[in-house]
Amino acid sequence: MREVDVAIVGAGPAGLFAAYYAGFRGLSVTVIDALPEPGGQITAMYPEKVIYDVAGFPSIKGRDLVANLVAQAAPFGPRYLLGARAEKLSYVDGRPLLGLADGEDVHCGAIIVTGGLGSFTPRPLPAAAAFAGEGIVFFVPRLADLAGQDVLIVGGGDSAFDWALALQPLARSVTLVHRREKFRAHASTVARVRELPVRLVVNAEVTTIHGDGRVAGADITVRGGGTETVRADTVVAALGFTADLGPLAEWGLELDRRHIRVDSAMATNRPRIFAAGDITEYPGKVRLIATGFGEAATAVNNAAVVIDPAAHLFPGHSSDAG
């Protein structure tokens, strides 16, 4: 059983900032996430998308924001357990005991849940069910991996169009297929893609994937029309994700649908369990990265007092600490 002051469940932006703040408060930290890389939804869904509403950055790519957050926490040596699923919650001597899917137990002074959407699973591409090879992906962690390829994107939402914008300068060709005529993506993003040499095929579906061990092409069937075969080295299935709280739903937390109710201290109804970021719910809640940062700091500072009643709630100014 591993002992730690604070276990942070979720390595998205709020969780990573909480790791920094806990370290700043002199607390030992373990960050747990079921995904294999830090960054949560940003890393999984839009690492190359530019974000404009993070304080102090007129614009910053998702990947760079995650890298900066990891670097910010690094001096305090947080331990990362990535690809690890937090499953069971119990208490030993009044402190939370967190059981992981791999059998490891983490005995904590407090837990801060920053799970964002909770566990999210990509919606499958039906045509891919009969294809056992490689080349079908749900997100693109490194755009350079698709440089010079013929890329087929399936979907009509923001993620599909973000990938089209990001990949067009690098790929040999980009084709986007959507089953409807109208797109769900933001109108300005759609307009930008229309100005690029990206082929848009609407009222159509990818019906077959071709290739021997690796994607080589696909059949596109247009509603009321025929079927054509297009060349493709990679198929990006940007069909969205389904999300749920997973094992967190069994922790006895007070829930509002798939969100965790917290008070002004970011405390839940369970002792020593706090939450921050998109996973939380309270009156006036606004789900933004910027909001999550403030909630993470609030959760850590209140957890610090619970862990050590002699500690001060106000952490002092980081500029004074050096």
Side-chain angles (χ1 to χ4, degrees), residues 32-74:
I32 302 161
D33 200 296
L35 296 176
E37 295 181 78
Q41 187 179 349
I42 288 181
T43 298
M45 299 176 68
Y46 50 93
E48 296 296 326
K49 188 173 183 178
V50 178
I51 303 169
Y52 298 98
D53 60 353
V54 176
F57 293 94
S59 65
I60 186 169
K61 284 187 176 181
R63 177 189 300 283
D64 295 334
L65 176 62
V66 170
N68 287 353
L69 287 164
V70 170
Q72 187 177 22

Side-chain angles (χ1 to χ4, degrees), residues 52-307:
Y52 298 98
D53 60 353
V54 176
F57 293 94
S59 65
I60 186 169
K61 284 187 176 181
R63 177 189 300 283
D64 295 334
L65 176 62
V66 170
N68 287 353
L69 287 164
V70 170
Q72 187 177 22
F76 303 107
R79 178 183 181 230
Y80 290 93
L81 296 178
L82 302 175
R85 186 180 176 98
E87 291 203 335
K88 297 179 180 179
L89 172 68
S90 58
Y91 287 83
V92 174
D93 298 328
R95 300 173 66 211
L97 180 66
L98 191 56
L100 307 187
D102 64 1
E104 181 173 351
D105 290 329
V106 182
H107 197 203
C108 325
I111 294 173
I112 302 176
V113 181
T114 57
L117 293 173
S119 300
F120 57 95
T121 305
R123 288 193 174 95
L125 176 64
F131 183 78
E134 299 180 350
I136 299 171
V137 300
F138 299 98
F139 49 89
V140 186
R142 285 168 289 275
L143 295 175
D145 292 347
L146 275 60
Q149 293 191 10
D150 294 301
V151 179
L152 177 62
I153 301 172
V154 185
D158 287 318
S159 293
F161 277 83
D162 288 341
W163 293 128
L165 277 176
L167 289 168
Q168 189 278 323
L170 300 173
R172 180 165 51 205
S173 70
V174 176
T175 300
L176 188 149
V177 177
H178 184 44
R179 61 180 178 174
R180 298 188 179 92
E181 187 171 354
K182 293 184 177 181
F183 302 108
R184 302 186 310 279
H186 196 281
S188 63
T189 308
V190 175
R192 290 172 63 192
V193 171
R194 289 189 185 277
E195 295 174 355
L196 299 173
V198 173
R199 185 186 177 201
L200 301 178
V201 185
V202 298
N203 294 320
E205 295 186 55
V206 173
T207 49
T208 307
I209 306 292
H210 301 291
D212 184 11
R214 174 80 198 186
V215 170
D219 290 343
I220 300 174
T221 301
V222 179
R223 190 181 309 123
T227 297
E228 68 166 310
T229 300
V230 298
R231 180 183 175 88
D233 300 299
T234 297
V235 176
V236 181
L239 300 173
F241 293 78
T242 57
D244 63 71
L245 288 176
L248 294 178
E250 308 301 321
W251 286 14
L253 300 169
E254 183 181 353
L255 304 178
D256 183 341
R257 291 172 293 180
R258 60 180 179 82
H259 299 116
I260 301 171
R261 285 197 173 276
V262 294
D263 62 17
S264 59
M266 297 294 115
T268 73
N269 62 303
R270 299 298 307 272
R272 295 177 177 252
I273 311 297
F274 298 79
D278 283 356
I279 202 166
T280 63
E281 182 60 57
Y282 53 83
K285 169 69 180 184
V286 178
R287 287 182 174 81
L288 294 172
I289 292 174
T291 308
F293 288 154
E295 294 171 353
T298 299
V300 168
N301 286 309
N302 280 278
V305 176
V306 170
I307 294 168

